[in-house]
Amino acid sequence: MVRFLVVGMAALIVSGAIYMIIRLLGNEEPTVRRDVFCEGISFEGKSLAGLTMEEGRLQVRAQLEALNWNMQVRCGEERVPVDDLFTGGVDELLTEAFAYGHTGSREEQGEQAEKLKTDPIEYTVLDLYSRERAEAFAENFAEAKNTATTAASLSGYDEATGELLFTDPEPGQVLDQADLVLRIEEAVEAGNFQAVIDPIFDDAYTPEEMPAEYLADAVRSSYRKIGAFTTETTPGNEARDVNITLACQAVNGTIVPSGGTFSILEAIGGTTAEQGYQEAGTYVGGEVVNELGGGICQVSSTLYNAVIFSGLNTTERHNHSMSVSYVPAGEDAMISYPNSDFKFENNSAGTVLITMGFHNNVIWADVYGMPLLGEGESVRMVSEVKEVLSAPKPQYVDDLSLAPGTEEIISASKEGSKVVTYLIREQNGTEVSREFLHNSVYNPKAAVIRRNPNPPESSAENGETSAENSGTSGGESVSGTEGSASGETVSDTEATAAGESAAEN
């Protein structure tokens, strides 16, 4: 009995010992470190073993910087950088690499670590490449560089027939995104990270596929004359007529694209003698003088009125220093190189064409485009004189070639004015709105009078009468002197120039 008890106790002791050994073996720490990359993992030939996740990230990023990614897409003269297609995948790749030897049971982790010793894993930049990122770049590039199809547009007119001329429609350009992605991938696979890629753009439509609304016949029906105006010149001033003709020829046929701005100074391009311009009367600092290009302000004023009637948006306009005869006060447009311009913006949906000409002392301006005004709608200017500015005292010029005591008006005096101009909108002839357009101030002008200040000669037929007349003449001379005191005496040369220039306007 005792023997059986001893044997049983021995068996229990052995079993307990075996159990404790098994427990101890089960609690043994694994040989794989859990905070670093396992042996056998590398990126572009450089080991990650023993590095923490952050250390591995820094190492891989430094390797990518050394690759000098500078891929570009050429678009005309512009080169657009391709997005870095590698860096965005670093964290995902490192997370995958770090998982080797750190996932699964302890036994599985150990097996993975052992396998890496005989079958290492080598990552390359190709493992970082993402087609999705390349496709996203191609899509963004297409959005920026694709062009819309443009309809036929007004390009000019046939002077012989008066027919409007139109361009052909231009098909839009559409990027072949799939081809661009393919070319990027080929450059990446070849290790050409500084490649310059020429993308392929295809026409949005072939000529046969072009929608009817883009064709010239359809567009032509949308255009018409939207503004017109004429002014008359003074006959007999050849130099002024030459200048007007040249300015009209320079402006005639000008095309202003939708959203574009017209400048008459740019259209005329200067008024030099080399261009054929001559000296004619013009206003300078409130005075009338002869200068090259005198008269072109009538061209700009004529066009200004046509533009107003068309509904286009005037962005710059100046009045003359003194009023002119060819348009009402407040409705002129003075120009002077280089600073005083007449400009308007093409705020219509289509191209604007300007035609101008000069014939039989009449300047005409026509504006063609897509109507800005609705059916039955019209606009016009109304100018109101708010204040009359009195003419200064006359200017006298002594001229002994005249009969003594006589006067001759070289140029008449002219009152000035302060004028307010309104833009009137009408519907079927009924005013619907009135808005302030601009103010204009016109300086007054003194009369210029030529005179012989000497008293009239005495009559030789009657001595007594002569004596009386002599006394009377002396009195008139005093009166004449008083008259001179009330005015300003100027030289004969100044007066002659002023008188001739005034006639030219």
Side-chain angles (χ1 to χ4, degrees), residues 273-315:
E274 290 74 16
Q275 293 170 285
Y277 285 93
Q278 301 182 15
E279 290 190 354
T282 184
Y283 293 152
V284 177
E287 298 293 334
V288 182
V289 298
N290 281 334
E291 283 202 345
L292 287 171
I296 65 170
C297 288
Q298 187 165 351
V299 176
S300 64
S301 296
T302 305
L303 179 58
Y304 170 60
N305 279 262
V307 167
I308 288 291
F309 296 145
S310 71
L312 292 166
N313 182 33
T314 299
T315 57

Side-chain angles (χ1 to χ4, degrees), residues 23 30 33 44 49 83 94 156 200 285 296 341 369 423 466-467:
R23 289 289 305 274
R33 284 185 59 184
E44 285 289 328
D83 296 341
L94 291 177
I200 294 176
I296 65 170
D341 203 351
L423 189 66
S466 295

